[in-house]
Amino acid sequence: MSPISEAVLAFDGPTPRVVADLRSVSFEVEHVREDVEGVYSDRDLDEAYQLVMSNQITGDDFKELIGESRYNAQTLFFDDVIVFLFPSDRYDAVFASYDYDDAFPVSGLVNAVAEARATE
């Protein structure tokens, strides 16, 4: 398990739905919350991995375009779910999804992961 996944799972806040280490050619699901276990098939997970990784590749181009060398997280907000993509190495990332409401501690989680990454 990557240090970023460990930081996500150790965060003192809501329990993640899914946490996965995404690598350039594979992924490893590190955590699935009991109430969503069985909701996603292997095919669903593989398709999600392909979509996320294609976004990671274009994300490097976007960082250059706006003049930033590193970002702490990408977030996707849905009605009831929030997804975080925490970059680690080039084309590697950690995927974490949570139930979402207005009280979700977005900056607290991002800061906790950034601190964990700084100690690597």
Side-chain angles (χ1 to χ4, degrees):
M1 181 179 307
S2 73
I4 294 173
S5 286
E6 289 175 1
V8 168
L9 292 170
F11 179 66
D12 186 22
T15 303
R17 295 167 56 91
V18 177
V19 176
D21 284 322
L22 309 178
R23 296 176 190 89
S24 60
V25 295
S26 66
F27 67 96
E28 184 71 35
V29 176
E30 302 295 356
H31 166 83
V32 178
R33 200 173 65 199
E34 282 184 21
D35 64 321
V36 295
E37 198 169 16
V39 171
Y40 306 106
S41 69
D42 288 342
R43 184 173 183 217
D44 292 337
L45 295 173
D46 190 56
E47 185 175 347
Y49 165 76
Q50 298 296 329
L51 291 169
V52 167
M53 293 310 286
S54 66
N55 184 47
Q56 284 294 101
I57 292 167
T58 59
D60 278 346
D61 295 336
F62 185 70
K63 288 185 302 187
E64 276 184 35
L65 181 68
I66 62 171
E68 292 293 324
S69 61
R70 181 123 176 113
Y71 61 90
N72 289 323
Q74 289 181 359
T75 53
L76 302 168
F77 291 87
F78 300 93
D79 291 336
D80 299 320
V81 174
I82 185 170
V83 173
F84 293 87
L85 295 172
F86 297 105
S88 52
D89 296 324
R90 184 171 175 85
Y91 305 135
D92 289 359
V94 172
F95 171 98
S97 65
Y98 292 85
D99 293 332
Y100 175 71
D101 63 25
D102 291 336
F104 190 90
V106 173
S107 59
L109 177 60
V110 172
N111 289 338
V113 169
E115 287 174 16
R117 188 183 300 134
T119 61
E120 284 184 44

